[in-house]
Amino acid sequence: MSIEEDIFKKSVIDFNKLAVYGFIKSGKLWQYTTNFMNNDFRAEITIDENGIVSGKVYETDNNEEYIPLRVEAMCTGYSGQVRGAYEQILSDIKEKCFHENYFILAQSNRLAKAIYNKYGDKPSFPWNKFTGYGVFVNPQNHKWYALIMNIDKSKLDKKQSGETEIVNLKLGEQKIVELLGKKGFYPAYHMNKKNWISIALDESVADDMLLLLLEESHLFTEGKSAGRGDGNCAWLVPANPQYFDIKAAFTKQDEIIWKQSANIKVGDTAYIYIASPVSAVCYKCKVTEVDIPYDYQDKNLKISKVMKIKLLKTYGTDFMPLSRLKDCGIISVRGQRLCPDKLKDALG
């Protein structure tokens, strides 16, 4: 890994800040030049249209590239000082023109964002030795449901090498057996292989599949009944009034179809949360049918299966607004999720 790759590996560029910093745009490239070490050296930094940083260091007296900078074994004494000064230049650019991601790979960061949007959880990094290991924990009971790790590919397949990231999820034993052998799925690295599985975050597995498996893993932190699917679970289900008028739909009939993206079972309760500008739980429904195949997609929505829900109760918009949901441990409602016991008790 190069010096630049190591410093910028978890960073996302803000192109709007480059000109202010001193970069000059030339075609599709941004370039920055500065002298350092009492003008004995010149750093030339280039950033391409994808935000990838590269650089070269030259000795100013002969205009030749300073090769010892790139050889780890040679970076001692004076050469080490040059490398340290160059790293300081790169670190300053990172601080002023980039913001930091939690993880290295794009899919890892998309997954982390999806977790925050759905559950309001951010990763914690509990190990000083393994700074790329991010744990996602259910704050209600401190149980783990996902662990993203920065590892070498050889840990998964001895024929491969190079840096990558994986996520460990907790799934049922039969589900793990079904998935192993498929592209992107591996026996759990550093965890119980009967209950956990490792999934490559290199785009081998589609985001939709990852999110479904994440939901199953999260279910294990919700108590024993959460994963049984015995019709006794209560779910919080979002509805966007910009795309569908659920109030009008329930005015016409008390049973409608609705997008299903979680492990919902017949007999479960679905509390419908209507998003902004309402931002409140407005309906209590019973799930009467699940896993109905459905094929719909537009620029805002993709539906592959639906369920039927029957209206049981209507709430006023001031009964359970978002501000009160936060008191029950719900920061946002971006996807179908289990209701905490405190919320179920409040909704009745």
Side-chain angles (χ1 to χ4, degrees):
M1 181 182 294
S2 71
I3 300 171
E4 295 81 10
E5 287 173 333
D6 186 50
I7 288 178
F8 291 96
K9 64 182 179 181
K10 290 186 180 180
S11 301
V12 178
I13 192 168
D14 184 343
F15 284 100
N16 295 322
K17 294 182 178 180
L18 293 181
V20 175
Y21 190 88
F23 279 84
I24 298 173
K25 191 172 185 182
S26 176
K28 295 183 178 181
L29 302 177
W30 288 87
Q31 296 175 326
Y32 174 76
T33 300
T34 185
N35 290 348
F36 65 105
M37 294 285 288
N38 296 318
N39 292 322
D40 290 336
F41 296 89
R42 182 180 73 256
E44 295 184 0
I45 315 298
T46 300
I47 301 177
D48 69 16
E49 60 185 329
N50 297 313
I52 304 301
V53 182
S54 59
K56 290 186 177 181
V57 171
Y58 297 89
E59 296 181 76
T60 54
D61 61 348
N62 58 23
N63 207 37
E64 293 183 357
E65 186 175 358
Y66 188 65
I67 301 302
L69 180 86
R70 300 290 173 181
V71 183
E72 193 82 36
M74 298 177 66
C75 283
T76 59
Y78 185 70
S79 297
Q81 293 178 38
V82 177
R83 179 173 174 134
Y86 178 59
E87 290 175 341
Q88 284 296 317
I89 293 170
L90 296 176
S91 296
D92 190 63
I93 293 172
K94 175 182 176 181
E95 180 182 348
K96 304 290 176 50
C97 302
F98 289 72
H99 65 268
E100 193 161 13
N101 273 329
Y102 289 119
F103 302 104
I104 298 170
L105 299 183
Q107 191 169 37
S108 304
N109 287 302
R110 292 199 305 271
L111 182 60
K113 183 177 181 180
I115 290 172
Y116 179 75
N117 287 340
K118 187 161 189 175
Y119 302 113
D121 299 336
K122 295 181 180 180
S124 60
F125 296 86
W127 300 287
N128 293 331
K129 186 177 179 181
F130 303 104
T131 56
Y133 286 23
V135 180
F136 292 88
V137 178
N138 186 329
Q140 297 180 48
N141 50 31
H142 307 291
K143 291 182 179 180
W144 295 16
Y145 60 88
L147 168 61
I148 294 179
M149 293 184 283
N150 170 220
I151 64 171
D152 191 273
K153 293 178 183 178
S154 61
K155 303 294 184 182
L156 304 175
D157 183 347
K158 293 182 180 179
K159 297 179 181 179
Q160 299 185 47
S161 62
E163 192 174 35
T164 192
E165 285 176 326
I166 61 172
V167 61
N168 277 3
L169 298 178
K170 188 174 185 179
L171 301 174
E173 290 185 33
Q174 185 58 43
K175 173 72 76 171
I176 291 174
V177 171
E178 293 172 3
L179 293 173
L180 286 177
K182 294 183 178 181
K183 185 178 180 181
F185 294 93
Y186 301 90
Y189 174 69
H190 264 238
M191 298 185 83
N192 187 314
K193 291 176 172 53
K194 288 186 177 180
N195 305 117
W196 292 82
I197 193 169
S198 291
I199 307 172
L201 294 175
D202 58 1
E203 314 295 339
S204 296
V205 179
D207 285 4
D208 287 349
M209 170 64 80
L210 272 176
L211 295 177
L212 286 173
L213 297 176
L214 174 73
E215 176 76 31
E216 291 189 36
S217 187
H218 194 273
L219 284 171
F220 283 97
T221 71
E222 297 284 353
K224 293 182 179 180
S225 63
R228 269 204 325 260
D230 54 7
N232 292 322
C233 294
W235 301 83
L236 196 57
V237 178
N240 192 327
Q242 296 181 29
Y243 305 143
F244 184 76
D245 190 345
I246 191 171
K247 181 178 180 181
F250 275 139
T251 299
K252 294 178 182 178
Q253 56 191 40
D254 65 356
E255 188 174 50
I256 63 174
I257 62 171
W258 199 259
K259 179 184 178 183
Q260 180 189 347
S261 60
N263 192 30
I264 298 176
K265 302 297 181 184
V266 171
D268 284 356
T269 300
Y271 294 102
I272 309 299
Y273 171 86
I274 300 182
S276 179
V278 178
S279 301
V281 177
C282 294
Y283 303 105
K284 177 181 180 180
C285 303
K286 181 179 180 179
V287 179
T288 58
E289 190 173 344
V290 297
D291 300 329
I292 305 169
Y294 203 82
D295 186 15
Y296 176 82
Q297 184 171 0
D298 60 27
K299 63 179 182 179
N300 299 308
L301 187 64
K302 179 180 179 181
I303 304 177
S304 58
K305 65 178 178 179
V306 297
M307 58 186 174
K308 285 185 180 180
I309 54 175
K310 184 178 180 64
L311 180 63
L312 300 178
K313 187 175 183 179
T314 301
Y315 306 101
T317 56
D318 58 347
F319 177 73
M320 187 58 70
L322 182 58
S323 57
R324 193 177 174 199
L325 282 176
K326 291 179 179 178
D327 294 335
C328 297
I330 305 295
I331 297 175
S332 63
V333 186
R334 300 291 180 87
Q336 297 174 11
R337 57 171 297 174
L338 285 161
C339 284
D341 289 339
K342 186 176 181 180
L343 178 58
K344 287 189 290 184
D345 293 340
L347 288 168

